[in-house]
Amino acid sequence: MNKITAAITAVGGYVPDYVLTNQELEKLVDTTNDWIITRTGISERRILKGEGKGTSDLCVPVALEICKKRGISPEEIDLLIVATVTPDMTFPATANVVTDKIGAKNAFGFDISAACSGFLYALDTGARFIESGRYQKVMVIGADKMSSIIDYTDRTTCIIFGDGAGGVLLEANTEGYGLIDSILKSDGHGREYLHMKAGGSVKPATIESVTAREHYVYQEGKMVFKYAVSNMAGAAKDIMERNNLTSADISWLVPHQANKRIIGATSQYINVPDEKVMMNIHRYGNTTAGTIPLCLWDYEKFLKKGDNIMMAAFGGGFTWGANYIRWAYDGDQYGKK
């Protein structure tokens, strides 16, 4: 019997309609369009507007698009994993909310919280359920409504983040396609450089914590940049060496869209040319767990069966890792989005 691997068989994505431009941010904080583009590569980002709208509302169109592409009913989904640091609420899990909203009556679901590395963690986790042979269709979505935890008076963070979601369907494969290898890492020491100060069990919400603006993302940019480059690139290189891959073997590098300079440093470290690097940070900003699947969504039509895909990410806490995937289908079979 051939080994079962978890292959991606469809990709979906969603970004909200509202576009927050650099010019609009110039009116909110002391910054300029040129400074933002030079430092981050971001021209605009999307923001989810509307009373009562949360991360589940980003996930629903992703899940429905994937089902439509594959010609399946949501009732055929066995498991839904949502990677997010902006759940609709502390509990129940956003995945449970999404299964209800799309009518996935036969699926169980849970969330994974690993910041910007969340999709890599969730993809690897979902793959294990497929490899067990007990589950046939596992959906993995990375989604964040970052605007809900961003302080729009803090120019160190508000220029970077946006809202969005992307996801994939995993199905069993016995021909050698799918998730081949993963390296997933974490180091809790990094929490002092990128975290949210209040809102958890250590420091529950109080009038004082809200007044002190402690329910927003806190980031020390220089330290995060330093660790992000070395760890993202290091994980990708380690996977390449472990699987006897050279840069010429890599069809696409799919890096977390944190910062254009981090993306460039990562691709240079493993010697992957710009034309093989997926990038959409200029359009969406950093959507945290949503960046990698949104890249797959944007570039799906260019993907070919057998392509070697290298994903790499780094997130708050710290978390980081890389996934090596052998692509299972010609992306243009689904036509235009």
Side-chain angles (χ1 to χ4, degrees), residues 24-68:
E24 189 172 350
L25 285 171
E26 287 178 340
K27 301 173 183 178
L28 300 176
V29 292
D30 182 17
T31 191
T32 67
N33 174 63
D34 290 343
W35 190 91
I36 295 172
I37 291 176
T38 300
R39 294 299 185 94
T40 70
I42 302 169
S43 298
E44 58 188 40
R45 66 290 292 149
R46 302 298 183 94
I47 304 297
L48 181 63
K49 298 280 191 175
E51 187 70 26
K53 295 290 186 180
T55 296
S56 67
D57 297 294
L58 298 170
C59 295
V60 166
V62 174
L64 294 178
E65 178 185 359
I66 291 171
C67 288
K68 182 178 179 181

Side-chain angles (χ1 to χ4, degrees), residues 6-28:
I8 293 174
T9 56
V11 178
Y14 175 76
V15 290
D17 293 332
Y18 185 86
V19 178
L20 177 59
T21 64
N22 291 346
Q23 289 74 21
E24 189 172 350
L25 285 171
E26 287 178 340
K27 301 173 183 178
L28 300 176

Side-chain angles (χ1 to χ4, degrees), residues 83 116-124 140-142 166-168 289 292-293 296 311:
C116 300
S117 306
F119 183 76
L120 297 189
Y121 278 41
L123 188 69
D124 187 86
V140 178
I141 298 176
V168 300
I292 287 177
L296 295 176
M311 303 175 181

Side-chain angles (χ1 to χ4, degrees), residues 49-257:
K49 298 280 191 175
E51 187 70 26
K53 295 290 186 180
T55 296
S56 67
D57 297 294
L58 298 170
C59 295
V60 166
V62 174
L64 294 178
E65 178 185 359
I66 291 171
C67 288
K68 182 178 179 181
K69 281 181 174 178
R70 283 295 290 160
I72 65 172
S73 163
E75 295 184 3
E76 295 178 60
I77 301 169
D78 299 308
L79 165 62
L80 173 65
I81 305 173
V82 173
T84 186
V85 292
T86 57
D88 282 19
M89 54 193 77
T90 302
F91 68 90
T94 300
N96 291 358
V97 177
V98 176
T99 56
D100 178 58
K101 288 185 174 182
I102 67 173
K105 298 178 180 179
N106 298 308
F108 71 103
F110 56 86
D111 295 352
I112 285 181
S113 178
C116 300
S117 306
F119 183 76
L120 297 189
Y121 278 41
L123 188 69
D124 187 86
T125 302
R128 304 309 165 202
F129 283 92
I130 292 292
E131 291 169 2
S132 74
R134 291 184 61 187
Y135 303 94
Q136 284 70 53
K137 290 177 172 60
V138 173
M139 190 174 289
V140 178
I141 298 176
D144 275 297
K145 184 186 176 183
M146 291 304 294
S147 61
S148 67
I149 57 171
I150 293 299
D151 182 354
Y152 286 93
T153 67
D154 177 10
R155 71 171 185 172
T156 64
T157 56
C158 73
I159 65 172
I160 298 171
F161 293 96
D163 302 339
V168 300
L169 183 67
L170 297 176
E171 297 184 78
N173 186 280
T174 56
E175 300 176 319
Y177 300 105
L179 181 63
I180 306 301
D181 198 6
S182 292
I183 291 177
L184 303 173
K185 299 284 188 177
S186 65
D187 180 1
H189 172 71
R191 68 188 181 279
E192 75 175 276
Y193 306 116
L194 183 52
H195 62 270
M196 191 165 73
K197 295 182 183 297
S201 60
V202 170
K203 196 170 187 179
T206 62
I207 292 174
E208 289 77 19
S209 68
V210 173
T211 302
R213 310 184 77 82
E214 292 181 333
H215 295 265
Y216 297 118
V217 172
Y218 169 82
Q219 174 174 277
E220 292 187 25
K222 289 183 179 179
M223 292 300 294
V224 172
F225 184 95
K226 173 185 173 182
Y227 282 101
V229 171
S230 60
N231 287 317
M232 273 179 64
K237 187 174 183 180
D238 287 348
I239 278 202
M240 289 171 66
E241 291 177 350
R242 199 155 78 180
N243 291 275
N244 298 313
L245 297 170
T246 67
S247 57
D249 297 318
I250 303 300
S251 306
W252 293 97
L253 171 65
V254 193
H256 167 54
Q257 307 289 295

